[in-house]
Amino acid sequence: MIVARLMVFLLLATCLVGTSSATDNRAQDAKPQSAPSPAAAINGYQPKWWKEAIVYQIYPRSFKDSNGDGIGDLKGITSELDYIHGLGVNVIWLSPHYDSPNADNGYDIRNYRKVMTEFGSMADFDELLKGIKQRHMKLILDLVVNHTSDEHAWFVESRKSKDNSYRDYYIWRAPKDGQPPNNWTSFFSGSAWKLDPTTGEYYLHLFAEKQPDLNWDNPKVRNEVYDLMKFWLDKGVDGFRMDVIPFISKREGLPDLPPEYMAKPQYFYAMGPHLHEYLQEMNREALSKYDVMTVGEAFGVTLEQTPSLVDERRNELDMIFNFDAVRLNRDGEVWRDWTLPELKAIYTQQNQALDVHSWNTIFLSNHDNPRVVSAFGNDSPQYRVASAKALATMLLTLKGTPFIYQGDELGMTNYPFTSIDQFDDIAVKNAWKAMVVTNQVSADAFLANMRKTSRDNSRTPMQWDNSRNGGFTTAPKARLAVNPNFLEINAKQEFSDPNSIYHYFAQMAALRRKTPAFVYGDYTDLDPAHPKIFAYTRAIGADKYLVVLNFSTDVVTYKLPDAIKVGDLLISNFGKNADRGDTLHLKSWEARVYKY
Ligand code: NOJ
């Protein structure tokens, strides 16, 4: 396996020679982020390494276990860096690796300067970072600072008494008529307030009870955050993905949720009155001293609000995750069937909303969403490979920095859940108690929805080979059951198959990285209403590319609009074809990229 991987890696490294961008791979060069760049604009955009990057997200618990305890760890990731590098991605986003009691798998941090014991030690982290840099890749960390764990030393102090010096690090309120201070709800079910018996006051938790919200209006809290950011930046990390960052500034007076926000409270919690001020301060105090990237998880931010967070002249964030596309298949938390014109409309709206001063992200999966091939492709044995490749073609040719979630490069699928005991996610367990135990929803209906939408679909272990537990761990039991399809779907099998999704993804990534038009080029949707075909162009002046994707199981004869004729076929998930001129004969889930 190792020899095979090395050979493939060398092959891909050779393919990529000369394709790397003008990326400066030094960890930090003390260059202010906002200083005018000497580089000439490309199609109106200031070139930046993070605009040209392809990001790979690792959920460490489920990536690779090196010590046989059934839980993924940092050494496991280090052992697979050639696998990641071979894909042609150049930035790794590591989901939280900090000390945590794991109420929400690390998104509840007990100590920001310590590595989670299950994941290893600080020496293991340093080794991982070194391995990443040796391969000329970069590392961004998850910055989870809307809340901490209730086991964080600040909260342990804060809850002791009303006059404790850490009291004001969190959001405490007296009961109102014996009830919570307002009607805010938690994303993990129930009230967002928890009564603490020691002082008889409630604390705010927009997520689990064990995730108390920090009080960002306290300057001491903000300085603590900037210090911990500098701790990791000084180690050489290249930026942060910022967890629910638009929630850090709470509305003045904490008013009740109006009825129209009950189903989507994120739009009420986000974009509080001091958000811009705090982000600019964070930029000034920490980020601007390093050459790093930031991406905000912008749950609750509308497209219209986006430029106010990412316009480069404002010095707030480099880009955000907009959820319109990834949650197109959800109505609240319930699955809904989506249509291709809806998806195309979202990309067009994003393109129109952002000018050359703002940058976008492209993603259709992460650790909070189901598997991309199950949610947006077709995970039946007949179409899984073709549709996973078609989605990779789209994700790597749209406008914005692509974020790819671990295992999607193998076409890993949703898990066939049949019982509540198979889930680990606190969101699912709490929702079961709130809905099924109270007889509001039947167990069957609940499970049917979770099979399509649950976050655990993407959190099952990576499938490395066809040995027990898919090669994820040598322990008898993995932390979460491995998808039984690991016998057919695994990295070892895909490595040995030149037509695999993994190798196709690597070719697509290489194509993107050597083609400035896929990064900075204009985007035009050629046929917004077509229900099966997604056809678009990316162009910088005369350097023009055409992408045609069949998003259906039908064979489709498609006449290109606007007198466009195909040129050189650069890549297709079905190899060469005889089509010339303006009419294409597309197989089910066929994807083609032309220069024209
Ligand atoms: C968003 C994270 O992506 C999710 O996994 C987590 O549960 C919440 N924020 C709370 O931190």
Side-chain angles (χ1 to χ4, degrees), residues 104 107 147 188 207 241 243-244 297 367-368 455 459:
D104 186 20
Y107 283 90
H147 45 266
F188 294 159
F207 294 89
R241 174 267 186 188
D243 193 69
V244 292
E297 190 208 17
H367 64 293
D368 291 331
R455 313 197 294 181
R459 297 177 179 187

Side-chain angles (χ1 to χ4, degrees), residues 158-186:
S158 187
R159 77 190 326 173
K160 281 185 182 163
S161 66
K162 290 186 193 170
D163 57 4
N164 187 283
S165 55
Y166 286 88
R167 187 66 169 179
D168 204 26
Y169 270 45
Y170 295 86
I171 300 172
W172 293 97
R173 291 290 182 276
K176 204 170 140 194
D177 306 326
Q179 296 297 314
N182 70 19
N183 68 353
W184 289 15
T185 52
S186 148

Side-chain angles (χ1 to χ4, degrees), residues 334-538:
V334 179
W335 176 267
R336 73 178 275 270
D337 291 328
W338 57 280
T339 69
L340 184 60
E342 288 174 325
L343 183 66
K344 292 191 267 194
I346 290 169
Y347 291 130
T348 296
Q349 285 155 11
Q350 291 182 356
N351 185 47
Q352 285 165 354
L354 306 179
D355 68 7
V356 290
H357 297 292
S358 295
W359 196 250
N360 197 18
T361 57
I362 296 294
F363 70 104
L364 283 180
S365 57
N366 59 27
H367 64 293
D368 291 331
N369 287 284
R371 284 284 173 191
V372 69
V373 73
S374 302
F376 289 94
N378 184 322
D379 64 7
S380 69
Q382 198 179 353
Y383 300 114
R384 184 186 64 86
V385 172
S387 66
K389 289 178 182 175
L391 289 166
T393 311
M394 185 185 85
L395 291 166
L396 293 169
T397 52
L398 281 173
K399 192 169 179 178
T401 299
F403 286 72
I404 307 302
Y405 182 70
Q406 70 183 39
D408 283 345
E409 75 281 7
L410 302 175
M412 280 176 60
T413 65
N414 283 353
Y415 186 90
F417 294 104
T418 50
S419 134
I420 186 67
D421 310 327
Q422 293 165 327
F423 291 91
D424 166 68
D425 182 7
I426 183 167
V428 178
K429 290 180 175 170
N430 284 1
W432 173 271
K433 283 185 216 140
M435 293 193 238
V436 181
V437 174
T438 58
N439 289 323
Q440 290 177 48
V441 174
S442 75
D444 282 355
F446 182 90
L447 290 171
N449 186 48
M450 287 304 164
R451 271 195 292 278
K452 296 199 117 186
T453 62
S454 159
R455 313 197 294 181
D456 277 343
N457 280 306
S458 58
R459 297 177 179 187
T460 62
M462 273 287 282
Q463 296 165 204
W464 293 104
D465 59 37
N466 62 4
S467 66
R468 192 174 64 164
N469 285 320
F472 164 72
T473 179
T474 53
K477 205 162 169 261
R479 62 164 289 262
L480 195 61
V482 179
N483 194 311
N485 62 21
F486 75 91
L487 293 171
E488 303 89 53
I489 304 174
N490 62 67
K492 186 175 179 193
Q493 186 280 329
E494 297 219 12
F495 252 86
S496 60
D497 173 5
N499 292 319
S500 67
I501 304 166
Y502 178 94
H503 291 311
Y504 182 86
F505 186 100
Q507 288 164 26
M508 268 308 311
L511 181 60
R512 179 180 180 95
R513 293 186 62 192
K514 73 175 182 191
T515 313
F518 288 134
V519 178
Y520 298 109
D522 297 334
Y523 166 79
T524 309
D525 179 358
L526 297 177
D527 200 348
H530 199 294
K532 294 174 188 159
I533 301 297
F534 192 4
Y536 54 92
T537 56
R538 300 294 315 273

